[in-house]
Amino acid sequence: MESDPTQITHDFPPFFRVHSTGHIERYITHDFKPPLRPPLPPPNPPIPPQTPLIFYTHGGGFSIESAFSSTYHRLLNSLASLSRSLIVSVDYRLAPEHPIPACYEDSFAALKWLHDSSPSDPWIADHADLRRVYLAGDSAGANIAHNTLVRARSEGGFGIGFAGLILVHPFFGIGKADRLWDYICPGSGGVDDPRLHPMAHPGLMAGLGCGRVLICVAEKDFLRSRGLGYYRSLKESGWNGVVEMFETSGEPHVFHLLDPTCANAAALLTRIVEFVNSGVRVLSSV
């Protein structure tokens, strides 16, 4: 049955709308891809004893999708295989039921788990090089990855070496008004909140706690200008690192999730793999 539009109090397509009863109705729901049981046989060639680790946060406007969906299961399996990396895929509480900063708190807690569990988790203990950790994400997940790195830097890094930050079609606001942000982050600093718009805070950008950053944008993405703005602001901030840009022509926002088999999706994945495998410089390690 279709919803009665007179009973909708807030509407944020393509993410969710809110009924007068408080019921949250999402436009897009995700499936659930459980972990493989039993696990796959050991890969051939085997995973190296000390391999980079990619700490990946999914996108979805802070309010949809999951680390357990087939969309991200497929993407990160491909990324792990091609980059010969170990991947920790971060799930987090979704807005609006869990307003911001819930997503940031959950991501940071997962990062601390990565460090705290490293002696006991066999995959991390046997294969992960915690001196080469890449924080990555797409869309809102890229925003969360950036903010997780900023907080980790401010709290000393707790022994993790942050080798790079990978931002795919990052969400850093859409301009002078952002209704979604105002709704899911009540009491925030508005559109210039440093979590939403770090480019308005040069000192924050200058203290980014890694040595390399890759920013991926798409020509027809409505967020393209914000990705380019992040790139320019980081270069001009006095940050002591190397920032790289990769743009895909003719494509919209997160096209690689919508059509993962297209040639441009393969090229984007290849560029991310090259970034992971081409550098080991670590700026922040405590």
Side-chain angles (χ1 to χ4, degrees):
M1 179 182 297
E2 292 188 2
S3 302
D4 181 352
T6 64
Q7 300 301 311
I8 303 300
T9 60
H10 298 85
D11 196 2
F12 301 100
F15 304 117
F16 64 88
R17 53 187 176 181
V18 184
H19 293 250
S20 59
T21 60
H23 172 65
I24 308 299
E25 180 185 1
R26 285 180 166 80
Y27 284 92
I28 301 172
T29 58
H30 63 82
D31 59 356
F32 180 84
K33 186 73 173 180
L36 293 171
R37 293 285 187 265
L40 290 173
N44 186 20
I47 299 175
Q50 290 293 291
T51 189
L53 185 140
I54 300 173
F55 185 88
Y56 196 94
T57 309
H58 73 81
F62 305 98
S63 58
I64 61 173
E65 267 297 345
S66 167
F68 298 101
S69 74
S70 59
T71 297
Y72 285 97
H73 184 81
R74 177 176 56 243
L75 170 68
L76 298 183
N77 271 352
S78 296
L79 180 57
S81 176
L82 292 170
S83 66
R84 305 299 292 168
S85 298
L86 192 65
I87 295 181
V88 171
S89 184
V90 181
D91 212 39
Y92 53 88
R93 289 169 292 171
L94 299 177
E97 295 92 334
H98 304 281
I100 289 173
C103 60
Y104 299 128
E105 296 291 342
D106 291 350
S107 178
F108 189 73
L111 190 66
K112 290 194 69 175
W113 169 88
L114 173 63
H115 174 261
D116 296 342
S117 69
S118 57
S120 58
D121 184 283
W123 278 90
I124 296 174
D126 295 344
H127 301 293
D129 183 355
L130 296 188
R131 299 166 301 174
R132 290 191 292 160
V133 173
Y134 290 84
L135 271 64
D138 61 86
S139 195
N143 175 296
I144 296 171
H146 160 85
N147 281 287
T148 300
L149 180 59
V150 168
R151 181 174 174 184
R153 174 72 169 178
S154 71
E155 298 194 13
F158 39 82
I160 293 178
F162 298 109
L165 178 65
I166 303 168
L167 306 177
V168 180
H169 307 170
F171 176 75
F172 290 118
I174 57 176
K176 294 182 179 180
D178 195 318
R179 293 174 52 250
L180 175 63
W181 177 264
D182 288 342
Y183 185 78
I184 65 177
C185 189
S188 76
V191 294
D192 284 337
D193 187 307
R195 296 168 296 182
L196 177 67
H197 190 201
M199 299 85 80
H201 305 268
L204 185 67
M205 301 289 283
L208 196 63
C210 67
R212 301 169 63 233
V213 174
L214 173 64
I215 303 168
C216 302
V217 299
E219 181 185 14
K220 296 185 178 180
D221 185 359
F222 68 102
L223 296 176
R224 176 180 178 271
S225 63
R226 284 302 172 107
L228 295 176
Y230 186 100
Y231 172 79
R232 289 192 296 266
S233 296
L234 191 57
K235 286 180 69 70
E236 296 168 1
S237 69
W239 170 68
N240 182 28
V242 177
V243 57
E244 304 174 28
M245 171 67 69
F246 179 77
E247 179 165 7
T248 304
S249 300
E251 297 287 5
H253 188 62
V254 295
F255 71 90
H256 62 296
L257 301 179
L258 305 175
D259 187 5
T261 63
C262 72
N264 280 340
L268 173 60
L269 194 59
T270 297
R271 183 65 185 87
I272 294 171
V273 169
E274 290 174 349
F275 180 79
V276 171
N277 291 336
S278 65
V280 295
R281 183 184 181 198
V282 175
L283 183 63
S284 175
S285 182
V286 177

